[in-house]
Amino acid sequence: MSNGANALIQTLVDAGITTCFTNPGTSEMHFVAALDTVPEMRAVLALFEGVATGAADGYGRMADKPAATLLHLGCGLGNGLANLHNARKGRVPILNIVGDHATHHVQYDAQLQSDIETVARNVSPWVRTSKNTQDLCKDAAEAIGACMGPPGQVATLILPADVSWGEGGVPAAPPVITPPAAADDATVAAIAKALQGEGKKAILLGGRALRTPALMAVARIAAKTGAKLFADVFPTRLERGAGLPPVERIAYLAELASVQLSGLDHLILVDAKAPVSFFAYPGKESYLVPEGCQLHTLASFTQDVTGSLDKLSRAVGADQATPVLQALKRPGLPRGKFTADKVCKAIGQLMPENAILVDEAQTSGIMLAMYTAGAPRHDVLTLTGGAIGQGLPSAVGAAIACPQRKVIALAGDGSAMYTIQALWTQAREKLDVINIIFNNRSYAILNVELQRVGAVGAGDKAKAQLDLRTPPIDFVHLGEGMGVASRRVTTTEEFLAAFEHALRTPGPHLIEAIVPPTLAGLKLRVLPYLLQSLANLPQPIARALKSAIAP
Ligand SMILES: Cc1ncc(C[n+]2csc(CCOP(=O)(O)OP(=O)(O)O)c2C)c(N)n1
């Protein structure tokens, strides 16, 4: 005879869910006690729910299967919402187990009572409060099936304390996952015709289309048809580097994205949405597909991406085509004045094969894609939903999913402070993560946005809302205080020494890079690169872009 919690954990591990990121409270104590009865389940404590959910996101992206979270009622779930939002946008599978008061206690509206289902619905299409111990594991199996997708999604199983402690729990069999169908013949034929016809064509890849099998298929199609390959602006997981097809990411700045997409006659979506501007700006377009461009969907979020691309490859006769692959090309070691781009260059020069780059560097990471393009194969995880505080937690999950791989997490100082407690979990679990925190003492990107949205009249009070100089945040003390070996660097040489040391020495590291905001660089250094990378820009467009970004 098993109680609900024991049977539930057994159901999870039987379905392959073997990691649970926890931040429990009293209502979850039976689940916590049951952890010891199921040795296959790894439980990882996070000191804030945003760390637990962000870790589950990073884990899901790298393990291609869900982790569970264990969260404490509506307030705990609410604390974890921003990173669940990022997972939702990235279509990452996560199974939330949210403890609740015992069913008979709800009527008293005790202190922690709240409407958990409403909190969950924002991020979780599948939500259920399990009503009794006998049905709990059936509910769990259904939740697991829902979150595995495709599309991957957040599913939330609310577990009342009495359902958890009640006897009579029976583990349920893993859900039967039906393999998704590939695009039908008519769709494939229509898209093949568009690709073989006149006009300028591009293929926009998102989600699972940015993984090796899909990338190889689409690169053959591109080689055969001349279609340009684009990736989502913020990919869930982008496999790139030497030996893989290079794919140009849609730019964050709508002004630049419009240039990338201008003149297109056909845009083919593969596990991606039509591109839109990240924010609305007065007088500027939100929808970025150029007028007159025909949109086609080869594979939607629910379909078989690689199967669809294989069919398209056959239809355009690309099976024997030679794809363009990225050559191994390191940028060289950086020298001279220390700036954020020197860090990016050093990473491009020194990062090992199979590294996982978690990029929440904001303005400091603008040059990262360029400097790492020819590095050995690696994965990049990005801020899919734009809710900051994702980087350091996501690194926790990625490192747990892939213990043999080096994780390099880049975070702005502002972003890092949202979920800095992730460092403690990294130390406790001895995770192989190098955290590089760009301390530019600013919400630098918001200074750019202040100009871009055309907000006039910003004075000292307004600017103070974007300024982190006083008091200066000391990340070395924060890191050391949570058990992570930490160093502050102020020169390129110091950075190189610290980074090389961290690469050689297993376990978590923190490097606090004191850098100037990249804002000035955005005008002087970054813009020319961005402009060059967007083929043959006519001068008027270049001028319009310059004034849009740095008026
Ligand atoms: C959850 C959430 N809160 C607030 C924001 C707004 N926001 C976007 S970027 C940013 C500041 C980022 O600062 P930092 O990480 O230091 O990078 P920098 O801009 O300096 O490069 C803020 C507050 C957000 N995107 N998500």
CSV table of all heavy atoms in Angstrom, one decimal, residues 171-229:
chain,number,residue,atom,x,y,z
A,171,PRO,N,0.6,3.7,-8.8
A,171,PRO,CA,1.3,4.3,-9.9
A,171,PRO,C,0.6,4.0,-11.2
A,171,PRO,O,0.1,2.9,-11.4
A,171,PRO,CB,2.7,3.6,-9.8
A,171,PRO,CG,2.8,3.1,-8.4
A,171,PRO,CD,1.4,2.8,-8.0
A,172,ALA,N,0.6,5.0,-12.1
A,172,ALA,CA,0.0,4.8,-13.4
A,172,ALA,C,1.1,4.6,-14.5
A,172,ALA,O,2.2,5.0,-14.3
A,172,ALA,CB,-0.8,6.1,-13.8
A,173,ALA,N,0.7,3.9,-15.5
A,173,ALA,CA,1.6,3.7,-16.6
A,173,ALA,C,2.0,5.0,-17.3
A,173,ALA,O,1.1,5.9,-17.3
A,173,ALA,CB,1.0,2.7,-17.6
A,174,PRO,N,3.2,5.1,-17.9
A,174,PRO,CA,3.5,6.3,-18.7
A,174,PRO,C,2.5,6.5,-19.8
A,174,PRO,O,2.0,5.6,-20.3
A,174,PRO,CB,4.9,6.0,-19.2
A,174,PRO,CG,5.4,4.9,-18.4
A,174,PRO,CD,4.2,4.1,-17.9
A,175,PRO,N,2.3,7.8,-20.1
A,175,PRO,CA,1.3,8.1,-21.2
A,175,PRO,C,1.9,7.6,-22.5
A,175,PRO,O,3.1,7.5,-22.7
A,175,PRO,CB,1.3,9.6,-21.2
A,175,PRO,CG,2.6,10.1,-20.6
A,175,PRO,CD,3.0,9.0,-19.6
A,176,VAL,N,1.0,7.2,-23.4
A,176,VAL,CA,1.4,6.8,-24.7
A,176,VAL,C,1.5,8.0,-25.6
A,176,VAL,O,0.5,8.8,-25.7
A,176,VAL,CB,0.3,5.8,-25.3
A,176,VAL,CG1,0.7,5.4,-26.7
A,176,VAL,CG2,0.1,4.6,-24.4
A,177,ILE,N,2.7,8.2,-26.1
A,177,ILE,CA,2.9,9.4,-26.9
A,177,ILE,C,2.7,9.1,-28.4
A,177,ILE,O,3.5,8.2,-28.9
A,177,ILE,CB,4.3,10.0,-26.7
A,177,ILE,CG1,4.6,10.2,-25.1
A,177,ILE,CG2,4.5,11.3,-27.5
A,177,ILE,CD1,3.8,11.3,-24.5
A,178,THR,N,1.8,9.7,-29.0
A,178,THR,CA,1.6,9.5,-30.5
A,178,THR,C,2.6,10.3,-31.3
A,178,THR,O,2.7,11.5,-31.0
A,178,THR,CB,0.2,9.9,-30.9
A,178,THR,OG1,-0.7,9.6,-29.9
A,178,THR,CG2,-0.2,9.2,-32.2
A,179,PRO,N,3.4,9.7,-32.1
A,179,PRO,CA,4.4,10.5,-32.9
A,179,PRO,C,3.7,11.5,-33.8
A,179,PRO,O,2.6,11.2,-34.4
A,179,PRO,CB,5.2,9.5,-33.7
A,179,PRO,CG,4.7,8.1,-33.3
A,179,PRO,CD,3.4,8.3,-32.5
A,180,PRO,N,4.2,12.7,-33.8
A,180,PRO,CA,3.5,13.8,-34.6
A,180,PRO,C,3.6,13.4,-36.1
A,180,PRO,O,4.5,12.8,-36.6
A,180,PRO,CB,4.2,15.0,-34.3
A,180,PRO,CG,5.6,14.6,-33.8
A,180,PRO,CD,5.4,13.2,-33.2
A,181,ALA,N,2.6,13.9,-36.9
A,181,ALA,CA,2.6,13.7,-38.3
A,181,ALA,C,3.4,14.8,-39.0
A,181,ALA,O,3.5,15.9,-38.6
A,181,ALA,CB,1.2,13.8,-38.8
A,182,ALA,N,4.0,14.4,-40.2
A,182,ALA,CA,4.8,15.3,-41.0
A,182,ALA,C,3.8,16.1,-41.8
A,182,ALA,O,2.6,15.7,-41.9
A,182,ALA,CB,5.7,14.6,-41.9
A,183,ALA,N,4.2,17.1,-42.5
A,183,ALA,CA,3.4,17.9,-43.4
A,183,ALA,C,2.8,17.1,-44.5
A,183,ALA,O,3.4,16.1,-44.9
A,183,ALA,CB,4.2,19.0,-44.0
A,184,ASP,N,1.6,17.4,-44.9
A,184,ASP,CA,0.9,16.5,-45.9
A,184,ASP,C,1.5,16.8,-47.3
A,184,ASP,O,2.2,17.8,-47.5
A,184,ASP,CB,-0.6,16.7,-45.8
A,184,ASP,CG,-1.0,18.1,-46.1
A,184,ASP,OD1,-0.5,18.7,-47.1
A,184,ASP,OD2,-1.9,18.6,-45.3
A,185,ASP,N,1.2,15.9,-48.2
A,185,ASP,CA,1.8,16.0,-49.5
A,185,ASP,C,1.5,17.3,-50.2
A,185,ASP,O,2.4,17.9,-50.9
A,185,ASP,CB,1.4,14.8,-50.4
A,185,ASP,CG,1.9,13.5,-49.8
A,185,ASP,OD1,2.8,13.6,-48.9
A,185,ASP,OD2,1.4,12.5,-50.2
A,186,ALA,N,0.3,17.8,-50.1
A,186,ALA,CA,-0.2,19.0,-50.8
A,186,ALA,C,0.6,20.2,-50.3
A,186,ALA,O,1.1,21.0,-51.1
A,186,ALA,CB,-1.7,19.2,-50.6
A,187,THR,N,0.8,20.3,-49.0
A,187,THR,CA,1.6,21.4,-48.4
A,187,THR,C,3.0,21.4,-48.9
A,187,THR,O,3.6,22.4,-49.3
A,187,THR,CB,1.5,21.3,-46.9
A,187,THR,OG1,0.2,21.3,-46.5
A,187,THR,CG2,2.2,22.5,-46.2
A,188,VAL,N,3.6,20.2,-48.8
A,188,VAL,CA,5.0,20.0,-49.3
A,188,VAL,C,5.1,20.4,-50.7
A,188,VAL,O,6.0,21.2,-51.1
A,188,VAL,CB,5.5,18.6,-49.0
A,188,VAL,CG1,6.8,18.4,-49.7
A,188,VAL,CG2,5.5,18.3,-47.5
A,189,ALA,N,4.2,20.0,-51.6
A,189,ALA,CA,4.3,20.3,-53.0
A,189,ALA,C,4.1,21.8,-53.3
A,189,ALA,O,4.9,22.3,-54.1
A,189,ALA,CB,3.2,19.5,-53.7
A,190,ALA,N,3.2,22.4,-52.5
A,190,ALA,CA,3.0,23.9,-52.7
A,190,ALA,C,4.3,24.6,-52.3
A,190,ALA,O,4.7,25.6,-53.0
A,190,ALA,CB,1.8,24.4,-51.9
A,191,ILE,N,4.9,24.2,-51.2
A,191,ILE,CA,6.1,24.9,-50.7
A,191,ILE,C,7.3,24.6,-51.7
A,191,ILE,O,8.1,25.5,-52.0
A,191,ILE,CB,6.4,24.6,-49.3
A,191,ILE,CG1,5.3,25.2,-48.4
A,191,ILE,CG2,7.8,25.1,-48.8
A,191,ILE,CD1,5.3,24.8,-46.9
A,192,ALA,N,7.4,23.4,-52.1
A,192,ALA,CA,8.4,23.1,-53.1
A,192,ALA,C,8.3,23.9,-54.3
A,192,ALA,O,9.3,24.5,-54.9
A,192,ALA,CB,8.3,21.6,-53.5
A,193,LYS,N,7.1,24.1,-54.8
A,193,LYS,CA,6.9,25.0,-56.0
A,193,LYS,C,7.3,26.4,-55.7
A,193,LYS,O,8.0,27.0,-56.6
A,193,LYS,CB,5.4,24.9,-56.4
A,193,LYS,CG,5.1,25.5,-57.7
A,193,LYS,CD,3.6,25.0,-58.1
A,193,LYS,CE,3.2,26.0,-59.3
A,193,LYS,NZ,1.9,26.5,-59.1
A,194,ALA,N,7.0,26.9,-54.6
A,194,ALA,CA,7.4,28.3,-54.2
A,194,ALA,C,8.9,28.4,-54.2
A,194,ALA,O,9.5,29.3,-54.7
A,194,ALA,CB,6.8,28.7,-52.9
A,195,LEU,N,9.5,27.4,-53.6
A,195,LEU,CA,11.0,27.4,-53.5
A,195,LEU,C,11.7,27.3,-54.9
A,195,LEU,O,12.8,27.8,-55.1
A,195,LEU,CB,11.5,26.3,-52.6
A,195,LEU,CG,11.3,26.5,-51.1
A,195,LEU,CD1,11.7,25.3,-50.3
A,195,LEU,CD2,12.1,27.7,-50.6
A,196,GLN,N,11.1,26.6,-55.8
A,196,GLN,CA,11.7,26.4,-57.1
A,196,GLN,C,11.3,27.5,-58.1
A,196,GLN,O,11.9,27.6,-59.1
A,196,GLN,CB,11.2,25.0,-57.7
A,196,GLN,CG,11.9,23.9,-56.9
A,196,GLN,CD,11.2,22.5,-57.2
A,196,GLN,OE1,10.0,22.5,-57.4
A,196,GLN,NE2,12.0,21.5,-57.2
A,197,GLY,N,10.4,28.3,-57.7
A,197,GLY,CA,9.9,29.4,-58.6
A,197,GLY,C,10.8,30.6,-58.4
A,197,GLY,O,11.9,30.6,-57.8
A,198,GLU,N,10.3,31.7,-59.1
A,198,GLU,CA,11.0,33.0,-59.0
A,198,GLU,C,10.9,33.7,-57.7
A,198,GLU,O,10.1,33.2,-56.8
A,198,GLU,CB,10.4,34.0,-60.1
A,198,GLU,CG,10.5,33.5,-61.5
A,198,GLU,CD,12.0,33.4,-61.9
A,198,GLU,OE1,12.7,34.5,-61.8
A,198,GLU,OE2,12.5,32.3,-62.3
A,199,GLY,N,11.7,34.7,-57.5
A,199,GLY,CA,11.5,35.5,-56.3
A,199,GLY,C,12.5,35.2,-55.2
A,199,GLY,O,13.3,34.2,-55.2
A,200,LYS,N,12.4,36.0,-54.1
A,200,LYS,CA,13.4,35.9,-53.0
A,200,LYS,C,12.7,35.1,-51.9
A,200,LYS,O,11.6,35.4,-51.5
A,200,LYS,CB,13.7,37.3,-52.5
A,200,LYS,CG,15.0,37.4,-51.7
A,200,LYS,CD,15.3,38.9,-51.5
A,200,LYS,CE,16.2,39.0,-50.3
A,200,LYS,NZ,16.3,40.4,-49.8
A,201,LYS,N,13.4,34.0,-51.5
A,201,LYS,CA,12.8,33.1,-50.5
A,201,LYS,C,13.6,33.0,-49.3
A,201,LYS,O,14.8,33.0,-49.3
A,201,LYS,CB,12.6,31.7,-51.1
A,201,LYS,CG,12.0,31.7,-52.5
A,201,LYS,CD,12.8,30.8,-53.4
A,201,LYS,CE,12.8,31.3,-54.8
A,201,LYS,NZ,13.8,30.7,-55.6
A,202,ALA,N,12.9,32.7,-48.2
A,202,ALA,CA,13.7,32.5,-46.9
A,202,ALA,C,12.9,31.4,-46.1
A,202,ALA,O,11.6,31.3,-46.2
A,202,ALA,CB,13.8,33.7,-46.1
A,203,ILE,N,13.6,30.7,-45.3
A,203,ILE,CA,13.0,29.8,-44.4
A,203,ILE,C,13.3,30.2,-42.9
A,203,ILE,O,14.4,30.4,-42.6
A,203,ILE,CB,13.5,28.3,-44.6
A,203,ILE,CG1,13.3,28.0,-46.1
A,203,ILE,CG2,12.8,27.3,-43.7
A,203,ILE,CD1,13.9,26.6,-46.5
A,204,LEU,N,12.2,30.4,-42.1
A,204,LEU,CA,12.4,30.8,-40.8
A,204,LEU,C,12.2,29.6,-39.8
A,204,LEU,O,11.2,29.0,-39.8
A,204,LEU,CB,11.4,31.9,-40.4
A,204,LEU,CG,11.4,32.4,-38.9
A,204,LEU,CD1,12.7,32.8,-38.5
A,204,LEU,CD2,10.3,33.5,-38.8
A,205,LEU,N,13.3,29.3,-39.1
A,205,LEU,CA,13.3,28.1,-38.2
A,205,LEU,C,13.2,28.5,-36.8
A,205,LEU,O,13.8,29.4,-36.3
A,205,LEU,CB,14.7,27.4,-38.4
A,205,LEU,CG,15.1,27.1,-39.9
A,205,LEU,CD1,16.6,26.8,-40.0
A,205,LEU,CD2,14.3,26.0,-40.5
A,206,GLY,N,12.4,27.7,-36.1
A,206,GLY,CA,12.3,27.9,-34.6
A,206,GLY,C,12.3,26.6,-33.9
A,206,GLY,O,12.4,25.5,-34.6
A,207,GLY,N,12.1,26.6,-32.6
A,207,GLY,CA,11.9,25.4,-31.8
A,207,GLY,C,12.8,24.2,-32.3
A,207,GLY,O,14.1,24.3,-32.3
A,208,ARG,N,12.2,23.1,-32.6
A,208,ARG,CA,12.9,21.9,-32.9
A,208,ARG,C,13.7,21.9,-34.3
A,208,ARG,O,14.5,21.1,-34.6
A,208,ARG,CB,12.0,20.7,-32.9
A,208,ARG,CG,11.3,20.4,-31.6
A,208,ARG,CD,10.0,19.7,-31.7
A,208,ARG,NE,9.0,20.5,-32.4
A,208,ARG,CZ,8.0,20.0,-33.1
A,208,ARG,NH1,7.8,18.8,-33.2
A,208,ARG,NH2,7.1,20.9,-33.7
A,209,ALA,N,13.3,23.0,-35.1
A,209,ALA,CA,14.0,23.1,-36.4
A,209,ALA,C,15.4,23.6,-36.3
A,209,ALA,O,16.1,23.7,-37.3
A,209,ALA,CB,13.2,24.0,-37.3
A,210,LEU,N,15.8,24.0,-35.0
A,210,LEU,CA,17.2,24.5,-34.9
A,210,LEU,C,18.1,23.4,-34.3
A,210,LEU,O,19.2,23.7,-33.7
A,210,LEU,CB,17.1,25.8,-34.0
A,210,LEU,CG,16.4,26.9,-34.7
A,210,LEU,CD1,16.1,28.1,-33.8
A,210,LEU,CD2,17.2,27.4,-35.9
A,211,ARG,N,17.7,22.2,-34.4
A,211,ARG,CA,18.5,21.1,-33.9
A,211,ARG,C,19.1,20.3,-35.1
A,211,ARG,O,18.6,20.4,-36.2
A,211,ARG,CB,17.6,20.1,-33.1
A,211,ARG,CG,16.7,20.9,-32.1
A,211,ARG,CD,17.6,21.4,-30.9
A,211,ARG,NE,17.9,20.3,-30.2
A,211,ARG,CZ,17.1,19.7,-29.2
A,211,ARG,NH1,16.0,20.3,-28.9
A,211,ARG,NH2,17.5,18.7,-28.6
A,212,THR,N,20.2,19.6,-34.8
A,212,THR,CA,21.0,19.1,-35.9
A,212,THR,C,20.3,18.4,-37.1
A,212,THR,O,20.5,18.7,-38.2
A,212,THR,CB,22.1,18.2,-35.4
A,212,THR,OG1,22.9,19.0,-34.5
A,212,THR,CG2,23.0,17.7,-36.5
A,213,PRO,N,19.4,17.4,-36.8
A,213,PRO,CA,18.8,16.7,-37.9
A,213,PRO,C,18.0,17.6,-38.9
A,213,PRO,O,18.1,17.5,-40.1
A,213,PRO,CB,17.9,15.7,-37.3
A,213,PRO,CG,18.3,15.6,-35.9
A,213,PRO,CD,19.0,16.9,-35.5
A,214,ALA,N,17.2,18.5,-38.2
A,214,ALA,CA,16.4,19.5,-39.0
A,214,ALA,C,17.4,20.4,-39.8
A,214,ALA,O,17.1,20.8,-40.9
A,214,ALA,CB,15.5,20.2,-38.1
A,215,LEU,N,18.4,20.9,-39.1
A,215,LEU,CA,19.3,21.9,-39.7
A,215,LEU,C,20.0,21.3,-40.9
A,215,LEU,O,20.2,22.0,-41.9
A,215,LEU,CB,20.4,22.3,-38.7
A,215,LEU,CG,19.9,23.3,-37.6
A,215,LEU,CD1,21.0,23.5,-36.5
A,215,LEU,CD2,19.5,24.7,-38.2
A,216,MET,N,20.4,20.0,-40.8
A,216,MET,CA,21.1,19.4,-41.9
A,216,MET,C,20.1,19.3,-43.1
A,216,MET,O,20.5,19.5,-44.3
A,216,MET,CB,21.6,18.0,-41.6
A,216,MET,CG,22.8,18.1,-40.5
A,216,MET,SD,24.1,19.2,-40.9
A,216,MET,CE,25.0,18.2,-42.0
A,217,ALA,N,18.9,18.9,-42.8
A,217,ALA,CA,17.9,18.8,-43.9
A,217,ALA,C,17.6,20.1,-44.6
A,217,ALA,O,17.6,20.3,-45.8
A,217,ALA,CB,16.6,18.1,-43.4
A,218,VAL,N,17.4,21.1,-43.7
A,218,VAL,CA,17.1,22.4,-44.3
A,218,VAL,C,18.3,23.1,-45.0
A,218,VAL,O,18.1,23.8,-46.0
A,218,VAL,CB,16.5,23.4,-43.2
A,218,VAL,CG1,17.5,24.0,-42.4
A,218,VAL,CG2,15.6,24.4,-43.8
A,219,ALA,N,19.5,22.8,-44.6
A,219,ALA,CA,20.6,23.3,-45.3
A,219,ALA,C,20.8,22.7,-46.7
A,219,ALA,O,21.2,23.4,-47.6
A,219,ALA,CB,21.9,23.0,-44.4
A,220,ARG,N,20.4,21.5,-46.8
A,220,ARG,CA,20.4,20.9,-48.2
A,220,ARG,C,19.4,21.6,-49.1
A,220,ARG,O,19.6,21.9,-50.2
A,220,ARG,CB,20.1,19.4,-48.1
A,220,ARG,CG,21.2,18.5,-47.5
A,220,ARG,CD,21.0,17.0,-47.8
A,220,ARG,NE,19.6,16.6,-47.5
A,220,ARG,CZ,19.3,16.1,-46.3
A,220,ARG,NH1,20.2,15.9,-45.3
A,220,ARG,NH2,18.1,15.7,-46.0
A,221,ILE,N,18.2,21.8,-48.5
A,221,ILE,CA,17.1,22.5,-49.2
A,221,ILE,C,17.6,23.9,-49.6
A,221,ILE,O,17.4,24.4,-50.8
A,221,ILE,CB,15.9,22.6,-48.4
A,221,ILE,CG1,15.3,21.2,-48.1
A,221,ILE,CG2,14.8,23.5,-49.0
A,221,ILE,CD1,14.2,21.1,-47.0
A,222,ALA,N,18.3,24.6,-48.7
A,222,ALA,CA,18.8,26.0,-49.0
A,222,ALA,C,19.8,25.9,-50.1
A,222,ALA,O,19.9,26.7,-51.0
A,222,ALA,CB,19.4,26.6,-47.7
A,223,ALA,N,20.7,24.9,-50.0
A,223,ALA,CA,21.8,24.8,-51.0
A,223,ALA,C,21.2,24.5,-52.4
A,223,ALA,O,21.6,25.1,-53.4
A,223,ALA,CB,22.7,23.6,-50.7
A,224,LYS,N,20.1,23.8,-52.4
A,224,LYS,CA,19.5,23.4,-53.7
A,224,LYS,C,18.7,24.6,-54.3
A,224,LYS,O,18.6,24.8,-55.5
A,224,LYS,CB,18.6,22.2,-53.5
A,224,LYS,CG,17.9,21.7,-54.8
A,224,LYS,CD,18.8,21.0,-55.7
A,224,LYS,CE,18.0,20.6,-56.9
A,224,LYS,NZ,18.8,19.8,-57.9
A,225,THR,N,18.0,25.3,-53.4
A,225,THR,CA,17.0,26.3,-53.9
A,225,THR,C,17.4,27.7,-53.7
A,225,THR,O,16.7,28.6,-54.2
A,225,THR,CB,15.7,26.1,-53.1
A,225,THR,OG1,15.9,26.5,-51.7
A,225,THR,CG2,15.1,24.7,-53.2
A,226,GLY,N,18.5,28.0,-53.0
A,226,GLY,CA,18.9,29.4,-52.8
A,226,GLY,C,18.1,30.1,-51.7
A,226,GLY,O,18.3,31.3,-51.6
A,227,ALA,N,17.3,29.4,-51.0
A,227,ALA,CA,16.6,30.1,-49.9
A,227,ALA,C,17.5,30.5,-48.8
A,227,ALA,O,18.5,29.8,-48.5
A,227,ALA,CB,15.5,29.1,-49.4
A,228,LYS,N,17.2,31.6,-48.2
A,228,LYS,CA,18.0,32.1,-47.1
A,228,LYS,C,17.5,31.4,-45.8
A,228,LYS,O,16.3,31.2,-45.7
A,228,LYS,CB,17.9,33.6,-47.0
A,228,LYS,CG,18.4,34.3,-45.8
A,228,LYS,CD,19.5,35.1,-46.1
A,228,LYS,CE,20.1,35.6,-44.8
A,228,LYS,NZ,21.5,35.7,-44.8
A,229,LEU,N,18.4,31.1,-44.8
A,229,LEU,CA,17.9,30.5,-43.6
A,229,LEU,C,18.0,31.5,-42.4
A,229,LEU,O,19.0,32.2,-42.2
A,229,LEU,CB,18.8,29.3,-43.2
A,229,LEU,CG,18.8,28.2,-44.2
A,229,LEU,CD1,19.7,27.0,-43.7
A,229,LEU,CD2,17.4,27.6,-44.4
